[in-house]
Amino acid sequence: MEGTTKQFNNKKKNTTKTRTFRTMNDPQNYQYHHQLLQQYSNRNNYGFGFISQINQYQAFYPALLPLPTSPPLHPYLPLPENQIKQKPTIQRVPWKHNNPPLATSSDAQLQDNTAKKVLQKPVGLASRGRDGKRIIGVDQKPLVLAKRPDSGGVEGHAITLLANHFSVNFDASERIFHYDVEITPHPSRGIARIIKKKLVKENSGLFCGAHPVFDGGKTLYSPVKFQNDKLELFISLPIQNQKFKLFRVNIRLVSKLDGKELSSFLKRDGDEYRALPQEYLHALDVILRESSTEKCISSGRSFYSSSMGEAKDIGNGAVALRGFFQSLRPTQQGLAMNVDFSVTAFHESTGVVNYLQKRIDSLHDLLQRKVKCFSDEERKEVEKAMKNIRVFVSHRENVQRYRVFCLTEDVTENLWFHDRDGSNLRLVTYFKDQYDYDIQFKNLPCLQVGRSKPCYLPMELCVVCEGQKFLGKLSDEQTSKILKMSCQRPKERKAIINEVMAGPVGPTSGDQGNEFKLQVSREMTRLKGRILQPPKLKLGSGGQTTNLIPSRRDRQWNLLDGHVFEGTRIDRWALISFGGSYDQRANVPKFINQLSQRCEQLGIFLNKNTIISPQFEPMQVLNNTIVLESKLKKIHSASVNNLQLLICVMERKHKGYADLKRISETSIGVVSQCCLYQNLSKPSSQFLANLALKINAKKGGCTVALFNSLPSQIPRILKHEEPVIFMGADVTHPHPFDDSSPSVAAVVGSVNWPAANKYVSRMRSQTHRQEIIQDLTEMVGEILEDFYQELFKLPKRIIFFRDGVSETQFQKVLQEELQAIRAACHKFPGYKPPITFAVVQKRHHTRLFPDENEHTSSIRSHFSDENIPPGTVVDTVITHPREFDFYLCSHWGVKGTSRPIHYHILWDESQFTSDELQKLVYNLCYTFVRCTKPISLVPPAYYAHLAAYRGRLYLERSDSSASNKGGCTISRTAPPKATPLPKLSENLKNLMFYC
């Protein structure tokens, strides 16, 4: 059998594809309308399997991960191993157009003149087509991101910090010559790099002695100009079935770059808006990545190498490998390289049969069941596990790589194929005649590679190629092991990063910097941060209010002597159990009594008697949605369809959790709270308290409130009589291997002022992997209506926190989503509140470390090997040269190294100062309903994330029915139309059921 694609027999290519309202006077005068890999950069691990034909290239590419020893014909041998008052319903009637709902003051319509955000012509609302979808006008001008309103905040105690940013100096007058490269026939990125290296070595004169850098695709950068603007060269390299293969290389000068624009951008020359010169910055990035790319496995912006530690088996056919992240960033100190420690999972390089034994639980005895076929469920799991995995075969000397497309429909014993001469051959007979090999697993399907010209490979003769990033969803155990490897205390993480900068595979390990006259510092950036003071908090105590200031260094507080600020009353509730041993079930009555007592201590009323006796069901019920729904409806009927809470105790985590949540919240209309039996045998006071706080939040209560309200803390902007809404938005996408499921968007909004600690939510499904929120206008409009239902006023200001947006998407998200928010506001005539739009970034790689050398001995002992304290804020040196952003670490890092949240304000019509916005965000972090400590992420964004995840659970129930039922998956030219989410029960819409 021969593959359909020609590859080098001495190389194995690594490729993985790679993410209510009161009016100002009489509310009755105002009424309203009811509308409302990455391609895993083909970085060949050039020590993985070179054979004698091109040994001359081996010296360039040291081994990163060990290959299994030369695979025998049987590579499948195993390897070692307080009650809420009901608010009256307000009849919704259209606004009287002569009485607008809220006449905003003049500053409401002012643009942020410090940011000069609006260009000559204001951007109008997007028009709408017949289908109701927004149409962005072609004459619409891009919005200008908010400019920093001052030179940074001043409040708080100063602290000296180190940041994992390394200064990069470049000569702005030095030119970089950009060449376009076209190689025919088109090779992989790895082969293209070999071609480039050989070309430069053998044609030094044509390249004027330069050592250009190459991105492995079409771009080449040189520090000098070549002899000619156009070059056509030919190069031959050894390949599988012939001695050499000829490649034609055309090189053409595209542009001459210099760093003057970037230098001017970084120096903040002038007040006018300047775009970041991306082309020059990209060139510098390619230059500084060249050396690491040649020596490491690259994945996205990270590099992985065994030189940083051996690969660790994390189970289920995966290994974890250490590496580092690297990225160039424009900052106030100039250009800086952000370097961070990284760990990720790769597929284990082993025989496919052995790999499947480890990957799929039901196949652990696969070696012993040679005569048994896959069940339908096993087949689906195998095909899902193997799709897009690269393998090589062991029955031929050459080492060719193949990408698995699917499984064959027939088992190996029944497979026939057309030979090159047109004859029909039986697969089993072919392997016996051609390779003298008897196929052992005749009752298993083969791996099919290729689409137009299928090629069948017996599983037992295939080996999983090394260096392939594991893109599937990791199990809890795998995730735990990955986290343990990556969980480094600040001192340890700092040391690792410094070792990378000085090490043999890091960004300073090559000569490319010298070639292009770049100087990269090996010292972390030293800067001044500030520690903000914690807010004074307000709790409940037997109907009275108590206050406290979180004085512990971790800023946590306890409820041993106090109540939650607002407790709920739950009279009608039930408990259902799934699985569990006899002894575990015997603990349920005791657990009910303990939970009721703990709730009482916290100021929450939970009836000590359930409406019916606890229901005990086997775990299998969670596998059958029809039976599960019947059981839950029976319990609901027992409460005369007025069940307030359902507690579900499970033997273990189960995928039926998603069905349970969907049924209870959409079909039945009851809040549920799940827990595991392992926590019930000896439930700690902390476990019971956590459970109680979640239940209280879901039923409309709240844990804590700010003693000094937000208006009293930021009086210049916030007023008691002018309510403000805090909104959060997030979009969750399906896992990387899912090419059809919808994305889920969620928007939440606060509906109580000035406490601002209760939120309502809206969720929608939308186009597969669409990041822009498509139904944002409708969702924001509905939340504004909910706000009015609570306060009888529209919010005076909107402060919107958007989660999950990368820097490359800032302009597009602002352009479209800001207009969507405005469109929602325009549904209420005359309503034009000032909007602040901030992006919240969690997944960045900036880390802050206390600089122990700058502290007194007492402070040094306090911070020794510890994280930066809660309230640490940085808005200078490592932040954007021009735009309004800051890093805030609002939580205490219990494990590993704290990751501050990066807040980037894209639009600010309220004209906050740095101090005002930083204080606002930090104080909000103390109001999260599920715990008694400040959280790392501003609550509106956190709630939006939780709500989006809940929407994802509603869709997961259909995975089994929508998955492929055998045979090859048909590729789609476009994602299918998004399946709408099931409708949420009306009595849950205004509750925080997603907490």
Side-chain angles (χ1 to χ4, degrees), residues 111 117-119 121-128 132-145 727 772-781 784 798 800 802 810-828 831-837 906-909:
Q111 301 299 325
K117 295 174 200 156
V118 177
L119 302 182
K121 179 181 178 182
V123 179
L125 289 174
S127 61
R128 291 182 172 267
K133 298 294 183 182
R134 289 184 298 117
I135 302 173
I136 302 299
V138 293
D139 60 339
Q140 209 170 30
K141 294 184 179 180
L143 303 176
V144 178
L145 304 190
M727 306 188 80
I772 303 298
I773 301 177
Q774 295 174 330
D775 295 330
L776 185 59
T777 295
E778 290 73 17
M779 289 192 279
V780 170
L784 289 175
I798 296 175
F800 193 91
R802 179 66 157 89
F810 281 3
Q811 193 70 56
K812 183 175 177 61
V813 167
L814 177 62
Q815 189 80 35
E816 299 199 24
E817 295 190 0
L818 179 62
Q819 302 312 312
I821 297 170
R822 285 176 170 170
C825 295
H826 275 256
K827 292 190 175 185
F828 310 102
Y831 180 52
K832 297 179 181 179
I835 300 169
T836 298
F837 193 109
L906 305 188
W907 193 263
D908 183 23
E909 293 171 346

Side-chain angles (χ1 to χ4, degrees), residues 16 107 137 247 275 334 368 413 500 519 542 582 594 639 673 681 840 856 871 879 896 981:
T16 302
D107 70 336
F247 293 90
Q368 289 76 43
E413 188 174 31
V500 167
Q519 295 178 332
Y582 177 82
Q594 291 172 319
S639 68
Q673 178 61 54
S681 56
V840 182
T856 62
T879 50
L981 295 178

Side-chain angles (χ1 to χ4, degrees), residues 656-667:
Y657 171 86
D659 289 314
L660 190 149
K661 288 296 182 180
R662 174 184 57 85
I663 293 168
S664 63
E665 292 166 3
T666 65
S667 179

Side-chain angles (χ1 to χ4, degrees), residues 16-17 69 73 81 86 97 108 113 223 312 336 454 460 480 528 535 542 568 576 580 670 710 717 725 803 882 909 937:
T16 302
K17 287 187 175 181
T69 55
L73 288 179
E81 296 270 304
Q86 196 93 19
H97 286 276
N113 46 20
K312 181 178 179 180
E460 62 201 81
S480 176
K528 291 290 184 181
T568 56
I576 186 170
V670 61
L710 293 171
I717 294 178
I725 187 171
D803 195 6
R882 298 167 173 271
E909 293 171 346
L937 184 66

Side-chain angles (χ1 to χ4, degrees), residues 23 29-31 95-103 794 828-831:
T23 51
N29 289 338
Y30 304 100
Q31 303 164 331
W95 289 109
K96 294 179 182 178
H97 286 276
N98 58 339
N99 290 322
L102 181 63
L794 280 167
F828 310 102
Y831 180 52

Side-chain angles (χ1 to χ4, degrees), residues 494-561:
K494 185 167 65 174
I496 291 172
I497 295 170
N498 286 330
E499 287 174 8
V500 167
M501 293 302 295
V505 300
T508 62
S509 61
D511 296 325
Q512 290 79 14
N514 295 330
E515 283 268 333
F516 291 84
K517 298 185 178 180
L518 300 175
Q519 295 178 332
V520 182
S521 172
R522 295 190 178 184
E523 299 291 329
M524 285 191 179
T525 296
R526 181 174 278 101
L527 53 89
K528 291 290 184 181
R530 294 170 291 113
I531 305 175
L532 303 180
Q533 291 300 307
K536 191 175 184 180
L537 303 178
K538 187 161 52 174
L539 301 174
S541 179
Q544 302 298 317
T545 299
T546 62
N547 63 83
L548 65 89
I549 297 178
S551 56
R552 285 171 37 169
R553 65 175 183 171
D554 60 4
R555 300 304 184 228
Q556 292 193 42
W557 67 93
N558 62 58
L559 294 171
L560 295 177
D561 301 320

Side-chain angles (χ1 to χ4, degrees), residues 212 356 555 959:
L356 292 175
R555 300 304 184 228
D959 280 355

